[in-house]
């Protein structure tokens, strides 16, 4: 059962990113209105804006939360060619019976890019307070805060040049049989028909991050990608949003000469029948969410045969409410909770090959 709640965001322009914090109790949104909003969930499950501020002088493409071990820290990137790091600080109490006021302070502005900064993401916690940015000039920059108590200093650790403009990136949170630093980046370039997803890893010999592979099966412009959290798997999963949805299984193998290489299997899903814009995982990587130009949010789950299937389709019917549609080959999800099961006749199966997945 999926419960859909409509939230009035009060942004004045297109919302480009919505990101939950580590615990799922806070949410950050960013928009072309150049503002960032931070939302908190109360005990009744209702969301309300607790902070809003103008963060950039151009459209804000992405926002990212740092691990809570480093405090309440956000990073944003913008069309104004910069990325910024923000920290929430407590102010003085207005009254003895009230909680201290909270405000977000800009700790630093990263100005290395000469073009739009299209994505920003904090690295996994085990790497420390590390931040990666992708730019339209095709460069990935990796920054590190040497002193987590002083977030004004973010020296560049690596610059990875690529000949294609980059639109998105994602860190791999697991190191199983792969590099300690592994990330993927996608390009929205439309001029060439070639692989648009690139895999980068840290090379001990070169002592820097280098490109190790390209996923040549994906040649359409890429708008988003996301590594799945690794919950004990012996392989890695990368979801890619492009003209269609792709799920890529990545295994680290060793060739006869002893060199490491990547064995990749790409699976394509065209259920959206339109460009896919965003993808994200739940914490256990058992559920994948995708959104597309069809105005639908699709929920994907792996069945017992380890095949991914669309389990539900959520669609906004009007501004006054949300409606849920089941996928044609998945269980029905009603619009409201029910204490007893309800069954609906969806059609007649005349051929055994038409038996739906369940």
């Amino acid at each position: 059962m999926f419960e859909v709640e409509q939230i009035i965001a009060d942004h004045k322009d297109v919302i480009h990113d919505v990101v939950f914090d580590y615990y799922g109790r806070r949410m950050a949104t960013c928009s072309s209105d150049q503002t960032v909003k931070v939302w908190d969930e109360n005990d009744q499950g209702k969301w309300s804006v607790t902070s809003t501020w103008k963060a950039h002088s151009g459209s804000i493409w992405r926002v990212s939360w740092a691990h809570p071990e480093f405090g309440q820290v956000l990073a944003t990137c913008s069309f104004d060619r910069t990325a910024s790091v923000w920290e929430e600080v407590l102010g003085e109490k207005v009254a003895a019976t009230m909680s201290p006021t909270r405000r977000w302070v800009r700790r630093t502005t990263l100005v290395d890019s000469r073009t739009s900064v299209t994505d920003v993401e904090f690295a996994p916690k085990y790497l420390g307070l590390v931040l990666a940015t992708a730019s339209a000039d095709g460069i990935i920059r990796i920054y590190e805060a040497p002193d987590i108590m002083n977030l004004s200093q973010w020296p560049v650790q690596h610059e990875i040049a690529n000949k294609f403009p980059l639109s998105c990136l994602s860190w791999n949170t697991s190191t199983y049989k792969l590099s300690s630093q592994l990330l993927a980046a996608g390009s929205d370039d439309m001029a060439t028909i070639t692989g648009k997803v690139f895999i980068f890893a840290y090379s001990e010999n070169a002592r820097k991050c280098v490109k190790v592979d390209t996923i040549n099966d994906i040649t359409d412009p890429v708008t988003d990608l996301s590594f799945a959290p690794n919950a004990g798997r012996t392989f890695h999963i990368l979801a890619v949003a492009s003209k269609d949805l792709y799920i890529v299984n990545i295994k680290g193998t060793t060739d006869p000469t002893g060199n490491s290489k990547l064995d990749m299997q790409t699976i394509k899903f065209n259920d959206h029948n339109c460009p896919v814009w965003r993808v994200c995982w739940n914490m256990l990587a058992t559920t994948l969410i995708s959104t597309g130009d069809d105005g639908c949010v699709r929920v994907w789950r792996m069945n017992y045969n380890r095949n991914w299937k669309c389990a539900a389709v959520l669609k906004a019917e009007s501004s006054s409410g949300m409606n849920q549609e089941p996928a044609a080959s998945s269980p029905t999800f009603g619009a409201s909770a029910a204490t007893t099961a309800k069954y609906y006749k969806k059609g007649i199966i005349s051929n055994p090959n038409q038996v739906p997945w369940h």
Side-chain angles (χ1 to χ4, degrees), residues 185-187 189 192-198 214-215 218-222:
S187 172
D189 177 67
T192 58
I193 302 177
T194 185
K196 296 297 193 307
V197 177
F198 316 104
T214 300
I215 302 177
I218 305 174
T219 58
D220 293 302
V222 174

Side-chain angles (χ1 to χ4, degrees), residues 5-55:
E5 177 185 357
Q6 186 178 19
I7 299 175
I8 306 301
D10 200 32
H11 277 288
K12 306 304 181 185
D13 210 328
V14 178
I15 298 173
H16 293 289
D17 204 8
V18 180
V19 181
F20 290 96
D21 74 342
Y22 181 82
Y23 298 108
R25 297 299 302 272
R26 309 193 80 184
M27 179 172 67
T29 60
C30 63
S31 165
S32 279
D33 64 7
Q34 305 175 10
T35 66
V36 173
K37 295 180 185 290
V38 173
W39 306 66
D40 286 334
E41 184 185 30
N42 61 19
D43 294 336
Q44 289 73 42
K46 299 299 181 181
W47 293 90
S48 61
V49 177
T50 54
S51 297
T52 180
W53 70 95
K54 180 178 178 180

Side-chain angles (χ1 to χ4, degrees), residues 236-275:
H236 307 274
I237 306 176
L238 177 68
V240 180
S242 181
K243 183 181 178 181
D244 296 294
L245 172 67
Y246 296 86
I247 295 179
V248 184
N249 295 324
I250 304 174
K251 283 187 177 182
T253 60
T254 304
D255 61 20
T257 62
N259 296 322
S260 298
K261 65 176 184 177
L262 301 181
D263 180 19
M264 296 184 289
Q265 176 193 18
T266 304
I267 309 168
K268 176 181 175 180
F269 302 89
N270 56 8
D271 297 51
H272 279 280
N273 291 315
C274 65

Side-chain angles (χ1 to χ4, degrees), residues 170-187:
S170 176
W171 288 94
N172 187 15
T173 58
S174 172
T175 60
Y176 182 82
K177 284 193 175 181
L178 294 175
S179 167
S180 61
Q181 295 185 34
L182 186 76
L183 61 140
S187 172

